[in-house]
Amino acid sequence: MSDVGEKIDYSWQCRRGMLELDLLLNNFVTKRSAALSVQQQHAFELLLSYPDQTLLELLMGNAQSSDTQVAEIVQLIRSTPLIE
C-alpha cells in the first residue's frame, strides 16, 4: 500500500498478460493516476491484485465489484478516453 502523499509509479503493476488490460490500465495511469486520492490509490492497488480474467470482466462491464471503492476506480478507468 502507498503512504499519504506518495507519488506512485504503477506502470510495472499495470503490465498484464492481456493487451486489452495493458492498454486500459496504462492509459488510466498516464492520464489520471496523479489525481487519485489516497483512498482511491488503495482501491486501485486492490484492483491490480485481481487475476487478469477478473480484471478484464470488471473493465469490460461484464461483472461488477461488490467493493464500492473498487467499483468507483473501475468506472474511472472505463471513462478515461483512449484517444484524444
Side-chain angles (χ1 to χ4, degrees):
M1 292 288 197
S2 59
D3 293 328
V4 174
E6 178 184 349
K7 185 174 180 189
I8 301 170
D9 180 10
Y10 291 110
S11 57
W12 183 252
Q13 293 170 291
C14 291
R15 290 187 53 126
R16 309 304 285 221
M18 295 182 197
L19 178 60
E20 296 87 345
L21 292 177
D22 287 349
L23 293 173
L24 290 168
L25 293 172
N26 284 303
N27 179 62
F28 174 75
V29 166
T30 299
K31 294 179 180 174
R32 290 196 166 172
S33 68
L36 294 177
S37 69
V38 173
Q39 186 177 19
Q40 289 173 321
Q41 288 176 5
H42 290 182
F44 186 56
E45 291 167 14
L46 177 59
L47 180 68
L48 291 175
S49 73
Y50 290 1
D52 284 0
Q53 191 60 44
T54 302
L55 195 50
L56 183 65
E57 293 294 317
L58 289 168
L59 294 178
M60 293 294 109
N62 297 328
Q64 187 169 355
S65 177
S66 59
D67 184 321
T68 57
Q69 293 174 346
V70 169
E72 176 189 334
I73 293 298
V74 167
Q75 186 56 39
L76 282 174
I77 295 169
R78 291 188 58 172
S79 68
T80 304
L82 287 170
I83 300 173
E84 290 185 354

